[in-house]
Amino acid sequence: MNKTIEIVSERNRIFRQRVQIEGLEDVYVDVPKAFGGEGSAPDPHDYFDLSLGACKAITAQMYAQRKKWPLEGITVRVNRDDSEERKGTYRLEVVMTFHGIEDEEQRARLEEISHKCPIHRLMTSATVEVTTRSTAAGEA
């Protein structure tokens, strides 16, 4: 599936960006004030981290629904340690709470299934190829 996401600088010389995804309301990206932004929206690292947490939650929910388990909801906390990012190590700890699941084996299975979410696999086992090119204004 090919999908295009367009990011547009919203304000002249300020880092806030508007993200347009076909069929959805716009979302925004900014950087913290400490880095010259307005701190008005999540930064790119936040979106990277939250995509993992959201994908794990959705994957576990789908599995519990198929199994007809009494899952009432999921709370996911993603803890970031980027202290060694410049050295090539970016650590994310994901803590999941499965509301309504009292059976320890079911909780363990839901955690295990969450490791199979597409974003977890992408982050941990895929080769991602990025091609960047520039165009003149008005070209695509």
Side-chain angles (χ1 to χ4, degrees), residues 2-91:
N2 291 330
K3 186 172 197 171
T4 300
I5 298 172
E6 186 169 272
I7 295 96
V8 179
S9 293
E10 191 166 72
R11 299 178 185 142
N12 192 24
R13 292 187 210 135
I14 298 181
F15 298 124
R16 182 179 164 103
Q17 308 293 309
R18 180 171 36 92
V19 180
Q20 299 169 311
I21 303 171
E22 186 177 330
L24 301 174
E25 290 189 31
D26 294 347
V27 295
Y28 295 89
V29 182
D30 201 353
V31 294
K33 290 180 180 181
F35 295 102
E38 297 175 290
S40 64
D43 71 26
H45 282 83
D46 295 333
Y47 281 106
F48 182 83
D49 302 353
L50 75 81
S51 68
L52 177 64
C55 187
K56 283 179 164 289
I58 291 166
T59 300
Q61 281 181 295
M62 289 175 155
Y63 185 84
Q65 190 174 54
R66 266 195 324 271
K67 292 290 192 176
K68 298 188 181 348
W69 288 354
L71 181 64
E72 296 169 2
I74 301 173
T75 301
V76 179
R77 188 173 60 245
V78 179
N79 299 311
R80 173 192 314 157
D81 177 358
D82 59 1
S83 62
E84 295 184 15
E85 180 180 0
R86 290 182 184 246
K87 296 178 186 175
T89 301
Y90 187 82
R91 291 182 179 89

Side-chain angles (χ1 to χ4, degrees), residues 98 101 103-113:
F98 301 108
I101 301 291
D103 183 296
E104 194 170 317
E105 287 181 15
Q106 288 180 343
R107 278 197 310 270
R109 182 67 178 144
L110 289 173
E111 179 185 331
E112 180 184 337
I113 288 297

